[in-house]
Amino acid sequence: MRDIFRTTVIGIAVAGLTLSAAALSVGDALAQAKPAPGAAEAAPSDDAPIKQIALTEKQIEGVLAAQKEMDALDDKLPDNPDVKPDPKIVAQLDAIAKKSGFASYDEYNNVIDNIGLVLGGFDPATKKYIGAEAVLKQQIAAVQADTKMPSKEKKQALDEMDAALKTPAPVIENKGNIDLVAKYYDKLAEALSEGEDE
């Protein structure tokens, strides 16, 4: 369904949103390995890179308006990318996207991808953009410093984050996206992290 890079970027963004200076929960540390919310048949193929676009306020507001409904349908999508989702669910996703100002579910997904690409580089403590690699290094340091995390889970989390470091996120082509996501950071952080928690 969604490509591995997209899952990693969104996972880093969501994990970064919930990272505290004191500790990182196992769920957040492993968020990179989980599929991002809303994955469906219309998403890009496994080796398709994110099509970077210049985001607009209207698109951000559309994502915020659609997120709860999209998340509700997410549970009805198959986890296995080889299993074709129910066409009725895909039609509902497309209808929600259109109701929220998008031409299609594909456009909605592309906007989510671009938001996730930018969010992955925000330091959740300062709410400033520092880059995805720097955020991931902070997460690694937090997991290494966590004395309460079981060693097996710590090793698994560190292995996954080290692997994510070896596949760096692409450079953000539209620098205006950083300022726009920063403007809506709190709302996006809340909306997108709720989707991961469900």
Side-chain angles (χ1 to χ4, degrees):
M1 302 272 179
R2 292 187 181 201
D3 62 358
I4 292 169
F5 167 75
R6 177 182 185 177
T7 302
T8 301
V9 168
I10 300 277
I12 290 169
V14 173
L17 296 173
T18 55
L19 175 66
S20 69
L24 177 68
S25 73
V26 175
D28 292 333
L30 301 178
Q32 301 163 45
K34 296 179 183 177
E41 177 181 61
S45 68
D46 284 350
D47 47 359
I50 290 175
K51 178 185 171 196
Q52 292 194 42
I53 59 170
L55 295 169
T56 66
E57 285 197 44
K58 182 179 176 187
Q59 289 171 323
I60 301 278
E61 290 167 359
V63 165
L64 292 170
Q67 195 61 36
K68 282 191 179 188
E69 286 183 272
M70 291 291 192
D71 288 342
L73 288 175
D74 183 49
D75 292 339
K76 298 178 181 179
L77 293 171
D79 290 332
N80 184 343
D82 295 330
V83 176
K84 189 173 179 177
D86 182 343
K88 290 178 185 176
I89 302 297
V90 174
Q92 288 177 311
L93 291 167
D94 205 42
I96 294 167
K98 288 178 181 176
K99 181 176 81 173
S100 300
F102 298 97
S104 66
Y105 183 60
D106 285 338
E107 181 186 2
Y108 170 84
N109 272 332
N110 193 43
V111 170
I112 287 283
D113 287 345
N114 279 267
I115 291 170
L117 183 63
V118 176
L119 277 177
F122 271 83
D123 177 348
T126 64
K127 300 179 185 178
K128 302 286 183 203
Y129 184 83
I130 60 172
E133 184 176 341
V135 170
L136 192 53
K137 286 178 180 179
Q138 285 179 344
Q139 292 173 345
I140 290 170
V143 170
Q144 289 171 332
D146 187 345
T147 57
K148 296 180 182 177
M149 182 183 278
S151 60
K152 183 178 177 182
E153 292 172 3
K154 183 183 277 194
K155 181 184 180 332
Q156 181 182 2
L158 289 171
D159 288 348
E160 289 179 14
M161 287 188 280
D162 285 337
L165 267 181
K166 294 176 183 170
T167 309
V171 174
I172 295 176
E173 295 170 6
N174 301 288
K175 302 299 182 193
N177 288 357
I178 295 169
D179 293 333
L180 189 57
V181 169
K183 179 179 177 179
Y184 287 90
Y185 179 85
D186 290 329
K187 290 180 181 179
L188 287 167
E190 181 181 342
L192 297 177
S193 65
E194 282 176 5
E196 281 294 304
D197 293 340
E198 294 174 0

